[in-house]
Amino acid sequence: MKMEVTNYFTITFPATSRNEAFARVVVAAFAAQLDPTLDELNEIKTAVSEAVTNAIIHGYPDREGEVVISCSLHRDSLEVIVKDSGVGIDNLEQAREPLFTSRPDLERAGMGFTVMEEFMDSVSIETKPGQGTAVTMTKKISAGEPGGNERN
Amino acid sequence: MKVAKDHRGDILIIAADGELDHHTAAVLKSSIQEELDKGRVRHIILDLSALSFMDSSGLGVLLGRYKELAKWQGKMLAFGLQPLVEKLFLMTGLNKLIPVCASLDDCLRALGV
Ligand SMILES: Nc1ncnc2c1ncn2[C@@H]1O[C@H](COP(=O)(O)OP(=O)(O)OP(=O)(O)O)[C@@H](O)[C@H]1O
Ligand SMILES: [Mg+2]
């Protein structure tokens, strides 16, 4: 069943590392409406940081580009989509494996997707070589919507 | 990201203050590497008490310096981790390479000081 959307926003920004902190703070500020715990907020920030960093480093290895973040609230859960229009991922199964990195030369640990999966409830990736990558993550917030609908 | 350095004999003590991500990783990397290049550092102790954020970019930088130290069997230890950073250490197994101690004194003791 598709859950009702209660609030949403979309932002577009240039794919530069300077925007990583900005991106995770914006999503955390939006998620604050669900009254999450500090731990939950930190987990959301970390997962967003991973996806945005991937878009910047891997999505656009040698050109400028844009990252789009779309966020929505569905009663007691948050959905975040981090999208780039970069190179895409050839072998998605391999990319999701812990410790796999295509850029050991940049001292990457290959743990980004593992961190996202650990900190969020679901992570799904849509990618097309040459067209880009969209990472959709959801997280249920334990406190639920303050003063909102009853949960069942 | 602010990085403060201190020395105890051949031990380099690094205090990282702020948020460690891909954008700020270069600052931490270059300030540690600068000391390693002088050739007088054997071990490193990380004071992470003022580190309020870290993601896998931070893991990469720490692992990179850990590998440098391993060339001469140097050790890297950490203390003062905030809950999020500790979670990341445990989740990724980084604590097996960079053990987490309760305090600076514990780190120093573990290095036989
Ligand atoms: N947005 C993206 N565009 C293109 N390739 C990507 C993208 N995101 C991830 N990848 C590919 O998936 C691999 C695994 O990503 P993951 O985040 O798990 O590790 P990493 O970024 O290499 O290292 P770390 O996140 O630990 O710094 C990357 O090395 C890269 O090849
Ligand atoms: Mg990554």
Side-chain angles (χ1 to χ4, degrees), chain A residues 50 54-55 58-59 84 87-89 95 100-103 108-113 133, chain B residues 56-57:
Chain A
E50 297 296 355
N54 279 352
H58 305 298
D84 66 65
V87 298
I89 303 174
F100 173 81
T101 180
S102 56
R103 301 303 303 269
R108 311 309 306 176
M111 292 301 287
F113 280 132
T133 302
Chain B
S56 68
S57 298

Side-chain angles (χ1 to χ4, degrees), chain A residues 73-103:
Chain A
L73 298 182
H74 308 252
R75 296 176 69 176
D76 60 354
S77 74
L78 172 79
E79 182 183 82
V80 189
I81 305 173
V82 177
K83 193 172 164 302
D84 66 65
S85 308
V87 298
I89 303 174
D90 280 328
N91 185 338
L92 189 54
E93 207 180 321
Q94 181 185 49
R96 291 184 83 142
E97 273 169 29
L99 300 176
F100 173 81
T101 180
S102 56
R103 301 303 303 269

